[in-house]
Amino acid sequence: MPLQVALAERAAAAGAGVVRTSLSPLADLTEAAAATAKAARPVFVAGEELLVSGLEHLQPLLLTTASRTGRLARAAAVRVSAAVSPTVEPGVVVAVAPV
């Protein structure tokens, strides 16, 4: 048992050393990332406002285009009716009429 305890203590000490050496640079990196995000925040806000403004100007154009496309599709539509005629040979009669 004493050998296993000694090995466990050594492993714990080595792990603690690794954590101590890696936490300091990690903390510095996190602090630098936070400072960068804080400094870049106005740029992000301005970019977001620019994007929203552009979309607000684009939305009416898209709605108008969709409406005109729908009207054009309805104007060019044809009504197709297919019916089976019971009096003549079995078959399909197709009638096409513009709307």
Side-chain angles (χ1 to χ4, degrees), residues 7 18-19 21 23 33 54 59 61 63-64 76 80 83 85 88 99:
L7 287 175
V18 167
V19 169
T21 57
L23 280 182
Q59 183 182 13
L61 176 66
L63 288 173
T64 302
V80 176
S85 175
V88 190
V99 177

Side-chain angles (χ1 to χ4, degrees), residues 2-96:
L3 179 62
Q4 291 173 345
V5 172
L7 287 175
E9 286 177 357
R10 272 186 159 172
V18 167
V19 169
R20 275 190 215 111
T21 57
S22 65
L23 280 182
S24 179
L26 185 60
D28 293 341
L29 183 64
T30 304
E31 186 178 344
T36 302
K38 188 175 182 179
R41 186 172 293 142
V43 175
F44 292 145
V45 169
E48 180 186 8
E49 288 179 5
L50 187 63
L51 178 68
V52 169
S53 173
L55 290 175
E56 285 174 349
H57 284 86
L58 186 62
Q59 183 182 13
L61 176 66
L62 292 174
L63 288 173
T64 302
T65 303
S67 176
R68 286 183 183 163
T69 303
R71 276 191 230 132
L72 181 64
R74 282 190 300 275
V78 292
R79 177 172 289 160
V80 176
S81 61
V84 177
S85 175
T87 59
V88 190
E89 300 179 88
V92 175
V93 176
V94 176
V96 178

